[in-house]
Amino acid sequence: QDVDKLVECLLEAEAQYAPDGLPVMFDLQVEAEILGCDLKWYPNTPPTVCSHPLASDFTIPTKRLTREDGRIPIIMEATRRLKEAKPGIALYGLVCGPFTLASHLRGTNIFMDMYDQPEKVKELINYCEEVVSEYAAFLMEAGCDVIGAVDPLVSQISPLSFEQFLTEPFSAFFDKVRAQNVPSTFFVCGYATKNIPAMCQT
């Protein structure tokens, strides 16, 4: 939440590890916080989403992100400062993947929704893709060299479900990044081996 501390920590990481690249902020709650999720903060780790605004009212949001929303100004400013201080390091701009962001908004209901309301789920994920693509554009504008989509929930579904719900939005996301001549990465933590072929197709 403090741009000076964020930059200080990134510079210290660079000094200790001499990496080829650094993620400016690894926090999958940035977009969710802006879209109405409450966060629980901890002393030494990123915050956790603790409320789901669509849990009882599954209405697709219409809010769009701006450069002034939430912690986006902090992250953009940290990117600019780090780019100036360490121009030889690749800066990674990370966005919350659209499936994980959809789950932040809807909660665990989203897994039953995939069976009961598949078209509604697709609509929500497509909305989330548009939101994270907007955020990615702000990160590229600030100087990020690589854009990474981080979607841990992908490890919880089958390849068939991936193709049904995620192939189209992820392909759209990566197409937008590629159109800016910026390389991208797709990161899923957990046991995602079964989904790697489907992920590669996007």
Side-chain angles (χ1 to χ4, degrees):
Q1 301 179 77
D2 181 327
V3 68
D4 295 328
K5 282 290 180 191
L6 180 56
V7 172
E8 181 185 346
C9 290
L10 289 162
L11 291 172
E12 180 63 23
E14 191 278 334
Q16 287 198 34
Y17 301 109
D20 296 316
L22 276 175
V24 178
M25 171 86 89
F26 201 130
D27 183 339
L28 303 186
Q29 288 67 238
V30 172
E31 301 97 320
E33 180 183 24
I34 295 166
L35 296 178
C37 295
D38 294 320
L39 302 186
K40 181 167 177 56
W41 292 85
Y42 301 93
N44 298 309
T45 65
T48 300
V49 165
C50 61
S51 74
H52 310 286
L54 305 186
S56 57
D57 178 12
F58 195 179
T59 301
I60 308 301
T62 57
K63 180 176 173 62
R64 313 312 293 197
L65 303 190
T66 74
R67 293 169 187 78
E68 288 73 45
D69 282 332
R71 289 176 288 147
I72 291 176
I74 291 171
I75 297 163
M76 291 183 73
E77 176 63 18
T79 302
R80 286 188 284 261
R81 288 198 210 171
L82 208 67
K83 196 74 188 165
E84 186 175 345
K86 300 290 178 181
I89 292 181
L91 297 183
Y92 281 69
L94 303 183
V95 303
C96 181
F99 186 39
T100 294
L101 181 56
S103 78
H104 283 332
L105 295 172
R106 177 65 173 153
T108 55
N109 291 338
I110 197 164
F111 290 107
M112 288 305 296
D113 295 333
M114 292 166 78
Y115 294 97
D116 298 337
Q117 306 182 71
E119 293 308 312
K120 198 81 177 281
V121 171
K122 286 182 184 178
E123 193 179 350
L124 177 60
I125 293 171
N126 287 337
Y127 162 76
C128 290
E129 180 275 317
E130 292 171 3
V131 166
V132 300
S133 289
E134 290 168 351
Y135 180 36
F138 301 152
L139 296 174
M140 289 184 279
E141 176 188 314
C144 285
D145 303 288
V146 182
I147 295 296
V150 185
D151 209 325
L153 222 62
V154 166
S155 65
Q156 304 301 306
I157 61 171
S158 69
L160 276 177
S161 292
F162 185 100
E163 290 169 11
Q164 180 181 0
F165 294 99
L166 300 180
T167 293
E168 188 177 315
F170 269 111
S171 297
F173 172 81
F174 290 122
D175 283 348
K176 291 170 189 172
V177 176
R178 191 178 297 110
Q180 300 302 312
N181 295 313
V182 172
S184 53
T185 65
F186 194 165
F187 178 54
V188 175
C189 34
Y191 185 66
T193 303
K194 64 186 182 297
N195 283 326
I196 287 175
M199 290 163 63
C200 289
Q201 291 300 315
T202 66

